[in-house]
Amino acid sequence: MGVEVANTNTTFTEMENLDFSDSEIVSFVRHSLQSALEGDSNHYNQLIGIMNSSYRLAPDEVALLSTGLKALSKAVFYIDITHHGKLLSAIFGMSLWSYGPDVMDALVELIIALAASGGDLVESCLQMLVSNFIPPKALLHNLSQPWCIKKKQQVLERVHSALMNIAKLVPVSPLMLEHIIPRRMPHLWSEEVLIITYVENMLKLGSNDLGRLVGSTMIVAVVDRLVDLDVEIGWDKILQDDSNKGIFEMELEVAPEDSKDVSFEVGKATSGSYSLAENVVAEQLDSLMVLMCEHLKSCADAGRLSEVPETIVFVTLLDSFKITVLKAYKSKFAQFVVFYACSLDPEHCGLKFANMLEKIFMHETDPLTRMSAVSYLASYLSRGRFIPSSFVAGKLKRLVDWCLEYCHSRDGKEAIVNPEVHRVFYSGCQAVMYLLCFQMRLMVEDSHLKSLLHSMPLERILRHPLDPLKVCLPSIVSEFLQQAKAAHLCTVSDKFIFNNLLESDLSKAYGGIERLDMFFPFDPCLLKNCDRFIRPNFVRWSMDKTIYDDDKDGLSDDEIDMDFVDGKGEHALDDDMGRSFDDRELDLVDECAYSLNNMSFTPKSSNFLSPMQMPALLRPSTSPPGSL
């Protein structure tokens, strides 16, 4: 061998001290490995001891360890996975965080060489690298210190570089990573710094060359964790405490008057007595959503959000949303990562998301999934400042047409108010009214959209014997009717009072135990840190000017219609229920206070019904009857 490496009296330490050449040291290491197979473990045990030394090494010990790692890298084909198990365990148990750059480089070189040497060691090498995503406990709470930030950068640069090199050398390794990384993610109740650091590395994999291979898996795993945290944040107490308030009133209570003020308390919920400010789960969710938003922004900047077919990040995000978020029990915050992604690319992502929700609502079979989808659709179209008004109007018309078709299919004996049987229909009607609460002013101010709005058969739906005005959430019905009255779509009795029945038994019945009647998934995000990503493109009710804001005093006396409650305090609608449209009387047109001369409707607006054909809470403007 050119050197007396077989001399059992020569130790590895002595070779280092005697300044042997690199090739001689490699020969010594090979001999040590071979001797162990023959029962002579003296030198082999010395190698193991060197690999196990990691705490406060002296300079000569650092040099010895680095030399030993480099020698092993050149002798990997002599390592037997069975007979050299202790050595391999020592190597895979080493942490890059414990060493300086020289040892880190030598250790990474050895791990790459071991992975390339044979399939049996690839998974162990990947596991070792992934374990270095997070620091040892001793460093865990020092990650914000400058010296630790530098150490973190040194370690993670080498880890990700090694993973990419192994992926090039071993094509099957990305498939292994797809299983290893989600499986090793810290559990739900781990310290925040652990999960944040780990997820940072997961998303970083999606930002480099490995992203083409494992990026989708990383996004799915992160979204799953967002939902896991989301469902741990209690929401029922908030709904219970605020059951006597309308959804718009609740939002006004929590929203800052100045849209530029982002100093509101993290997690301050819709009830003044309830706060997420000290909720550890909410804070962790907030931090993870910030990471996800930053990752989506980097993907958008790099053209990988929606433009490159083989690495479309948004497609993966949508698939994950459909499988996980959409079916989660009233997800509160996780869905905002999709909202943010849509705002980054409204032309592609923004419209694609709405189209997907519409398709689910109109074509899926599961009622709860359809109800959730239409709530998402209405909330998204109402809140997205980046969505074109013409697109919103088009989706609104599609919802109205679907509701009208449902009415036609349920005429006759099937036209009986039943919140459970017709819950998908009621969710569609509520989505229409909710959307118009936000969008009516914009539509009325645009001549084309105004014409489209007045051509929609809203009255025929709201007046149908299925009576959505009695079933849908009264706070939405009330706000919608106020705006419809101000827009001259209809008139409403000023004497009618809801008596604070903001959660009627009917609405509860169609919402079910999930209370999907109150589910508006893009109500303001109450997490402080991630809100800065959402706020610039988010419509808040507190900043949205309604159509009646220009006329605070309301309509004049001669424009106010007759009271819709009869002398007995009963709704005039009750006597009219159960009759078909053709059978209802058409002789009360003259009782309407409006005249055609005062209306701004286009010719398409003539398809309104007579006053007697309206439910108790709603009366039409005096467009000619019988022109349905």
Side-chain angles (χ1 to χ4, degrees):
M1 300 179 69
V3 64
E4 293 299 325
V5 295
N7 187 346
T8 58
N9 295 321
T10 304
T11 67
F12 188 86
T13 303
E14 290 173 342
M15 295 193 69
E16 177 70 9
N17 293 335
L18 294 174
D19 195 24
F20 281 73
S21 68
D22 290 344
S23 61
E24 290 171 334
I25 294 177
V26 170
S27 296
F28 181 86
V29 169
R30 290 175 179 172
H31 173 75
S32 300
L33 295 172
Q34 289 177 320
S35 297
L37 297 178
E38 300 169 358
D40 182 2
S41 301
N42 186 31
H43 293 155
Y44 171 70
N45 289 335
Q46 187 183 29
L47 281 177
I48 295 175
I50 293 173
M51 298 302 115
N52 283 326
S53 58
S54 62
Y55 184 70
R56 295 184 179 180
L57 300 179
D60 58 333
E61 293 174 317
V62 172
L64 181 63
L65 177 58
S66 178
T67 300
L69 290 169
K70 290 178 181 178
L72 282 169
S73 297
K74 296 178 174 60
V76 291
F77 290 106
Y78 290 82
I79 297 177
D80 183 275
I81 192 171
T82 302
H83 293 88
H84 299 134
K86 289 184 179 180
L87 176 64
L88 290 171
S89 295
I91 294 170
F92 294 139
M94 297 174 71
S95 172
L96 292 170
W97 296 81
S98 301
Y99 307 104
D102 290 342
V103 174
M104 282 194 280
D105 289 338
L107 179 55
V108 166
E109 180 184 350
L110 173 58
I111 295 299
I112 294 173
L114 286 170
S117 67
D120 292 340
L121 294 175
V122 176
E123 184 171 358
S124 296
C125 292
L126 295 176
Q127 298 235 30
M128 182 270 182
L129 291 170
V130 171
S131 70
N132 280 276
F133 278 3
I134 53 180
K137 290 183 178 180
L139 300 179
L140 201 57
H141 298 290
N142 293 307
L143 287 178
S144 60
Q145 300 297 321
W147 64 269
C148 203
I149 293 174
K150 181 179 179 181
K151 170 66 73 173
K152 177 181 176 182
Q153 183 179 1
Q154 291 174 339
V155 170
L156 297 182
E157 282 180 354
R158 288 169 171 81
V159 168
H160 286 276
S161 176
L163 288 173
M164 285 190 288
N165 285 330
I166 292 174
K168 294 175 183 177
L169 295 170
V170 186
V172 73
S173 63
L175 294 177
M176 295 181 178
L177 273 179
E178 287 185 327
H179 296 286
I180 292 171
I181 293 178
R183 190 171 66 241
R184 293 185 67 98
M185 186 184 295
H187 62 78
L188 193 64
W189 302 108
S190 299
E191 290 188 69
E192 180 177 337
V193 65
L194 276 177
I195 182 64
I196 295 302
T197 306
Y198 194 89
V199 171
E200 278 180 343
N201 285 281
M202 292 177 65
L203 295 177
K204 186 175 181 180
L205 283 175
S207 301
N208 55 38
D209 292 342
L210 266 177
R212 297 176 179 273
L213 303 172
V214 302
S216 297
T217 301
M218 300 305 106
I219 290 176
V220 171
V222 174
V223 172
D224 287 349
R225 176 51 58 91
L226 294 179
V227 174
D228 289 342
L229 291 169
D230 201 327
V231 298
E232 290 294 328
I233 302 174
W235 208 240
D236 293 338
K237 182 179 185 297
I238 297 174
L239 295 178
Q240 187 175 25
D241 288 350
D242 290 307
S243 61
N244 62 333
K245 298 178 181 178
I247 60 170
F248 303 106
E249 178 186 355
M250 292 192 296
E251 184 171 337
L252 287 174
E253 287 183 358
V254 70
E257 291 300 322
D258 184 357
S259 62
K260 296 180 181 179
D261 177 15
V262 294
S263 62
F264 65 93
E265 187 178 16
V266 58
K268 186 177 182 183
T270 52
S271 170
S273 62
Y274 190 85
S275 174
L276 300 177
E278 297 181 359
N279 189 304
V280 175
V281 179
E283 291 174 357
Q284 185 176 131
L285 176 62
D286 192 13
S287 298
L288 286 182
M289 289 185 63
V290 168
L291 288 181
M292 193 65 174
C293 289
E294 290 174 343
H295 176 68
L296 293 172
K297 180 65 166 61
S298 68
C299 290
D301 292 342
R304 294 186 294 105
L305 184 64
S306 62
E307 298 176 6
V308 185
E310 64 271 23
T311 58
I312 296 181
V313 173
F314 189 71
V315 170
T316 301
L317 192 62
L318 276 194
D319 289 341
S320 183
F321 169 87
K322 185 176 179 180
I323 295 171
T324 307
V325 182
L326 182 63
K327 297 180 180 180
Y329 172 62
K330 298 182 72 171
S331 178
K332 296 163 284 296
F333 307 119
Q335 60 266 23
F336 276 98
V337 296
V338 182
F339 185 97
Y340 180 65
C342 292
S343 72
L344 293 172
D345 187 358
E347 183 178 355
H348 297 97
C349 300
L351 306 189
K352 189 178 183 69
F353 181 52
N355 289 335
M356 183 195 76
L357 293 171
E358 178 194 311
K359 182 177 180 181
I360 293 173
F361 171 65
M362 295 187 176
H363 301 293
E364 289 283 345
T365 56
D366 179 61
L368 294 182
T369 301
R370 297 176 69 186
M371 293 169 70
S372 182
V374 80
S375 293
Y376 268 101
L377 180 61
S379 189
Y380 171 68
L381 295 176
S382 298
R383 301 294 192 167
R385 195 182 300 276
F386 50 87
I387 308 173
S389 297
S390 58
F391 182 82
V392 175
K395 291 300 177 189
L396 175 64
K397 186 177 186 305
R398 291 273 292 161
L399 290 177
V400 171
D401 289 346
W402 182 91
C403 291
L404 181 64
E405 180 63 27
Y406 190 94
C407 289
H408 288 333
S409 68
R410 299 303 190 278
D411 282 338
K413 293 183 179 179
E414 294 188 38
I416 300 174
V417 176
N418 190 321
E420 294 183 5
V421 172
H422 305 297
R423 53 185 172 174
V424 176
F425 166 72
Y426 293 124
S427 67
C429 293
Q430 180 160 288
V432 167
M433 289 187 282
Y434 180 87
L435 183 53
L436 281 172
C437 288
F438 282 87
Q439 297 290 330
M440 194 179 298
R441 181 185 179 90
L442 291 176
M443 295 187 70
V444 169
E445 290 177 346
D446 182 287
S447 59
H448 175 72
L449 298 182
K450 181 178 180 179
S451 175
L452 179 64
L453 174 62
H454 287 305
S455 71
M456 294 180 187
L458 290 171
E459 297 185 14
R460 297 169 64 183
I461 297 168
L462 300 178
R463 296 191 59 263
H464 191 269
L466 290 176
D467 203 355
L469 292 180
K470 270 191 172 181
V471 179
C472 294
L473 200 65
S475 56
I476 294 177
V477 173
S478 177
E479 177 63 35
F480 165 75
L481 292 180
Q482 288 186 68
Q483 294 205 40
K485 174 181 177 179
H488 294 181
L489 285 177
C490 62
T491 59
V492 184
S493 169
D494 280 0
K495 297 180 182 180
F496 186 85
I497 301 175
F498 277 93
N499 293 324
N500 292 323
L501 297 177
L502 297 182
E503 293 188 61
S504 68
D505 290 337
L506 290 174
S507 69
K508 288 180 180 179
Y510 106 76
I513 60 174
E514 296 86 3
R515 291 314 311 271
L516 290 176
D517 60 303
M518 295 186 68
F519 182 43
F520 305 99
F522 293 115
D523 279 357
C525 181
L526 305 178
L527 301 177
K528 179 178 65 175
N529 294 318
C530 68
D531 181 70
R532 71 177 186 266
F533 295 93
I534 309 303
R535 180 177 289 262
N537 291 294
F538 185 82
V539 175
R540 286 183 174 271
W541 181 253
S542 59
M543 305 304 297
D544 197 39
K545 195 173 183 181
T546 62
I547 195 168
Y548 54 76
D549 285 336
D550 292 332
D551 186 10
K552 293 297 185 181
D553 296 329
L555 303 178
S556 61
D557 290 340
D558 61 345
E559 291 178 312
I560 297 176
D561 200 2
M562 59 184 288
D563 190 3
F564 289 86
V565 182
D566 65 23
K568 297 180 180 180
E570 300 295 332
H571 295 249
L573 174 67
D574 294 341
D575 293 333
D576 199 39
M577 288 293 294
R579 291 192 289 168
S580 68
F581 289 133
D582 295 334
D583 294 334
R584 296 178 185 178
E585 297 178 11
L586 302 176
D587 58 355
L588 298 180
V589 176
D590 293 337
E591 294 182 8
C592 292
Y594 292 119
S595 66
L596 287 173
N597 293 333
N598 294 326
M599 303 306 293
S600 58
F601 291 155
T602 63
K604 291 184 179 181
S605 65
S606 61
N607 59 345
F608 289 90
L609 300 174
S610 68
M612 197 60 184
Q613 291 175 291
M614 295 300 296
L617 308 185
L618 182 65
R619 297 294 294 276
S621 51
T622 55
S623 299
S627 55
L628 300 177

